Amino acid sequence: MTLQTDADGRLRHLLTLERLPRDALVALLDRAQAFADGVDARDALAGTAVCTLFFEPSTRTRLSFQRAAQRLGADVLSFDAATSSTTKGETARDTLKNIEAMGVRGFIVRHSADGAVAALAEEAAAGTALVNAGDGRSAHPTQGLLDMLTLRQALGDDFSRRRFAIVGDVKHSRVARSDLHALRTLGAGEIRVCGPASLLPDDGTLAGCHVTVDLDAALDGVDVVMMLRLQRERMEEGLVSSLEDYHRDYGLTEARLRRAAKRAVVLHPGPMNRGVEITDAVADGPQSLILRQVANGVAVRMAVLEALLR
Ligand code: CP
């Protein structure tokens, strides 16, 4: 039994993809694929209330969770930190406990602090489920799942002969950490990680990866390019000399993408800094799966909510 799973190994909360067993991860992806294919579950969570509890901004994650919950028949409450009593000093814990007292059973939580969602899960009543919708730099498990679903659709189930490049601001990226856990669990053949030295973590996150500061080398022959957002809001001064320099050295352009395998696909979790880490031509081009990722986000979040709350 862990905070995330009960004594029978069933998911109680979804906090991280780290050490999530392969069977559990694949089951979520299979169910998400069924939802993507149009399986109807409109009554699955009828009578169940869920709340999107976001202490940080979001477009894709919050709205796709709301869409997913609606498609499962749940009642959906949306908490907006800016207009909430947190502005009067109420804590995240008290906020959770008060909304829980209203009969809400599912919380989709985003917070700027590493570990904040797990800390709230410790406080939740039995029968209340939390989903980590992104905490600090630590984890964004449903983004990792939707990225894997998108890659399975593009490449098939067997990742063992595939080469993956994760490029950009890895240091500040919870998406990169969740993708790395999932890619390892699914047996990715080769994982390359590339970014400026100042934006590469040195905390063991990149164990087993081929790490380089040379983008051209990182792209050579890869099947998948996973671009990351430059997270200026989390960045200390001076980690990047200028956006122009960053684009020159780490921006994905059509010319650079030609170094990858001919049918290579490009992912980006959004929001994109167009013209910084990725050009319009690549983001909107034929190899981009970026809007496919967004569509898959609804299906993945349906699978997660169903697994936790049904
Ligand atoms: N990918 C992602 O988490 O986007 P949002 O911040 O818009 O939710």
Side-chain angles (χ1 to χ4, degrees):
M1 179 160 160
T2 65
L3 181 58
Q4 181 155 279
T5 55
D6 67 16
D8 297 323
R10 280 191 297 262
L11 275 182
R12 298 165 62 212
H13 307 287
L14 181 64
L15 304 173
T16 176
L17 299 183
E18 189 172 12
R19 290 188 283 279
L20 184 70
R22 182 188 167 96
D23 287 357
L25 197 154
V26 169
L28 287 170
L29 294 180
D30 288 345
R31 188 62 177 155
Q33 185 60 58
F35 286 131
D37 291 340
V39 162
D40 182 359
R42 74 184 77 177
D43 296 326
L45 297 185
T48 303
V50 303
C51 178
T52 50
L53 191 61
F54 277 53
F55 298 93
E56 268 196 338
S58 167
T59 297
R60 279 147 292 271
T61 310
R62 188 167 61 84
L63 292 177
S64 62
F65 263 114
Q66 290 177 354
R67 183 87 182 102
Q70 288 166 352
R71 282 188 58 189
L72 295 169
D75 301 327
V76 186
L77 287 72
S78 180
F79 164 89
D80 174 13
T83 56
S84 76
S85 289
T86 58
T87 59
K88 303 175 215 165
E90 189 164 38
T91 64
R93 179 196 176 280
D94 282 342
T95 302
L96 174 87
K97 297 306 288 183
N98 277 267
I99 300 173
E100 197 177 49
M102 299 172 198
V104 172
R105 282 190 53 220
F107 289 87
I108 299 115
V109 187
R110 173 169 286 189
H111 202 284
S112 60
D114 295 327
V117 185
L120 287 173
E122 298 269 15
E123 301 288 343
T128 296
L130 269 67
V131 184
N132 184 353
D135 65 325
R137 308 173 181 192
S138 296
H140 194 347
T142 57
Q143 181 73 43
L145 289 170
L146 76 86
D147 288 349
M148 295 308 114
L149 182 65
T150 305
L151 291 176
R152 279 202 340 178
Q153 291 168 352
L155 308 174
D157 293 354
D158 183 3
F159 290 1
S160 66
R161 291 190 184 81
R162 301 295 188 172
R163 288 180 280 199
F164 302 79
I166 298 179
V167 177
D169 181 2
V170 186
K171 182 173 183 158
H172 300 99
S173 178
R174 53 199 178 202
V175 174
R177 287 174 177 79
S178 287
D179 282 340
L180 283 166
H181 292 311
L183 286 171
R184 290 182 185 117
T185 300
L186 295 175
E190 181 183 343
I191 306 174
R192 303 177 190 170
V193 175
C194 177
S198 60
L199 296 181
L200 294 173
D202 56 4
D203 56 4
T205 298
L206 306 183
C209 301
H210 296 270
V211 181
T212 177
V213 296
D214 180 344
L215 179 55
D216 290 342
L219 294 177
D220 194 26
V222 293
D223 301 292
V224 175
V225 188
M226 305 175 84
M227 297 304 296
L228 299 173
R229 182 170 70 88
L230 191 61
Q231 300 201 25
R232 283 173 280 176
E233 77 276 18
R234 296 189 209 283
M235 214 171 273
E236 306 141 35
E237 285 296 310
L239 289 181
V240 170
S241 51
S242 72
L243 297 184
E244 291 74 21
D245 288 352
Y246 187 85
H247 179 68
R248 183 194 63 222
D249 295 337
Y250 295 100
L252 187 62
T253 60
E254 285 179 298
R256 277 216 162 102
L257 184 54
R258 284 195 280 274
R259 291 181 169 273
K262 197 168 175 206
R263 295 181 201 279
V265 294
V266 176
L267 278 67
H268 190 300
M272 290 181 277
N273 296 303
R274 288 175 177 264
V276 181
E277 70 261 5
I278 193 165
T279 61
D280 290 341
V282 175
D284 303 327
Q287 289 165 275
S288 169
L289 298 181
I290 293 169
L291 291 179
R292 170 61 47 193
Q293 290 173 267
V294 177
N296 282 332
V298 177
V300 155
R301 287 159 179 146
M302 289 175 74
V304 168
L305 292 175
E306 183 191 55
L308 292 173
L309 293 170
R310 197 167 191 182

